[in-house]
Amino acid sequence: MQRRSFEGIEEIRVETLGELVDRTTPSENDPASGRLRAASVFRGSKCSEWALLTSLDRLGGIDPPHTKGHLEEHILRNFIRYSRPHLQQQPANEWELLVTAQHHGLPTRLLDWTYSPLVAAHFATLGGDPALDRVIWRLDWGKLHARFDLPPIAFLVQELDELLRKRGIDSPWTLFSQPERGQDHLVCMLDPPALDNRIVVQAAAFTISTDKTRSFDEILRENGLLGALTRYVIPAERIDHLRDQLDLVTMDERRLFPDLDGVAAEMRRYYDASAEE
């Protein structure tokens, strides 16, 4: 996967789950609630050198990435064509359709995040090359919205629709056909509807950008927003320790994929472990 320099982004080494919780806990109370809350989301990655690439960015390979972005419209059209028998209810609008497609694994320009650093840690430590350091990215989306002159809320799909219509984007199809680096460039947070139990228990969130030609970290760099990112790096030799701590607090497949597939996946991984000879 694409590797790049992350110079200018704060990087913190964490070796235990306790350190991760301490490091991601806000240092000051939120003025509105008086509690330790912040406008932060997290994303776990199985390699500390990977850039923040969407599933659409990665489609067709990552050396280089972004080679299949021109197929975005065709991919979503075919999802619409074949998904209808499997949808329990029709999406409220086409932006909800895009979220539904992303949630079920379709390559899109949406980038997955979670409000929980523990959920991000689960995905960062699940499988992968044991020789590679892992990373949990933190995004201060409050700074992101301030930079793009947006209100300090993560948008619902209906609010995203209203926001983009004011900017001349009345549907995903209009967005797909726009120039990649126009003057009205926009990046924002999106809170998805509760499509199923999985999206709820994973505390899922997304970012969406009008630019699909650069990685998310590169977009932030070019907009002077590297200060909105933090990288919590888990060294390779501490992955198993932190993974075991996640299992102790039941942050596992059975909790995050609440169905029979999740139960089976957790049992398979848990009982596959064995001591080194």
Side-chain angles (χ1 to χ4, degrees):
M1 189 168 284
Q2 186 188 31
R3 291 167 168 80
R4 64 171 64 251
S5 169
F6 299 115
E7 183 180 355
I9 301 175
E10 182 181 9
E11 188 166 295
I12 299 172
R13 179 184 173 105
V14 293
E15 298 190 359
T16 69
L17 196 58
E19 285 184 5
L20 176 63
V21 172
D22 286 342
R23 292 289 194 170
T24 56
T25 299
S27 58
E28 298 179 356
N29 288 345
D30 168 51
S33 66
R35 307 301 295 270
L36 293 173
R37 297 171 183 168
S40 297
V41 287
F42 303 87
R43 177 176 172 85
S45 176
K46 293 181 176 62
C47 176
S48 65
E49 297 183 10
W50 289 352
L52 288 170
L53 296 173
T54 68
S55 53
L56 184 65
D57 293 334
R58 300 192 301 270
L59 188 66
I62 45 75
D63 192 20
H66 319 297
T67 60
K68 299 285 187 177
H70 63 286
L71 297 177
E72 183 178 27
E73 179 178 349
H74 301 286
I75 294 169
L76 186 60
R77 283 186 180 276
N78 278 291
F79 179 82
I80 293 171
R81 179 183 179 189
Y82 295 112
S83 64
R84 185 176 293 272
H86 307 289
L87 296 174
Q88 295 183 353
Q89 62 182 27
Q90 292 305 305
N93 59 32
E94 290 177 315
W95 300 107
E96 184 173 317
L97 176 66
L98 186 65
V99 168
T100 302
Q102 168 73 17
H103 181 55
H104 288 283
L106 194 79
T108 78
R109 67 172 65 207
L110 298 178
L111 188 63
D112 293 278
W113 299 86
T114 172
Y115 285 100
S116 168
L118 301 188
V119 173
H122 167 80
F123 288 107
T125 59
L126 191 65
D129 187 337
L132 296 178
D133 293 348
R134 311 301 170 89
V135 66
I136 297 165
W137 292 84
R138 172 183 171 271
L139 169 67
D140 183 339
W141 61 265
K143 292 181 179 179
L144 179 74
H145 277 213
R147 167 64 180 79
F148 289 99
D149 196 26
L150 299 172
I153 58 170
F155 295 109
L156 303 177
V157 289
Q158 296 87 346
E159 294 166 336
L160 178 68
D161 185 42
E162 293 175 6
L163 170 71
L164 293 179
R165 284 182 183 275
K166 292 177 181 177
R167 295 174 181 246
I169 302 173
D170 58 5
S171 73
W173 317 109
T174 307
L175 175 62
F176 298 165
S177 64
Q178 282 208 331
E180 301 302 337
R181 304 192 186 190
Q183 293 181 345
D184 293 329
H185 180 57
L186 174 71
V187 187
C188 69
M189 278 296 306
L190 175 61
D191 272 349
L195 301 174
D196 56 24
N197 288 335
R198 176 160 59 96
I199 208 166
V200 174
V201 298
Q202 292 181 11
F206 302 103
T207 46
I208 183 170
S209 172
T210 54
D211 185 349
K212 61 182 177 184
T213 65
R214 294 171 292 171
S215 66
F216 188 75
D217 52 290
E218 185 178 359
I219 291 171
L220 295 195
R221 181 184 297 277
E222 294 188 9
N223 282 278
L225 280 168
L226 287 185
L229 289 172
T230 307
R231 289 163 40 85
Y232 301 93
V233 176
I234 306 168
E237 65 272 15
R238 300 297 291 175
I239 295 170
D240 286 348
H241 180 84
L242 205 140
R243 177 68 257 173
D244 288 345
Q245 290 184 315
L246 287 165
D247 287 338
L248 283 171
V249 298
T250 65
M251 187 56 61
D252 54 27
E253 299 91 328
R254 187 158 48 90
R255 175 183 292 270
L256 298 178
F257 296 87
D259 54 26
L260 290 177
D261 291 340
V263 171
E266 193 269 339
M267 295 294 104
R268 181 171 59 250
R269 178 183 58 79
Y270 189 87
Y271 287 108
D272 184 60
S274 58
E276 296 182 2
E277 297 182 358

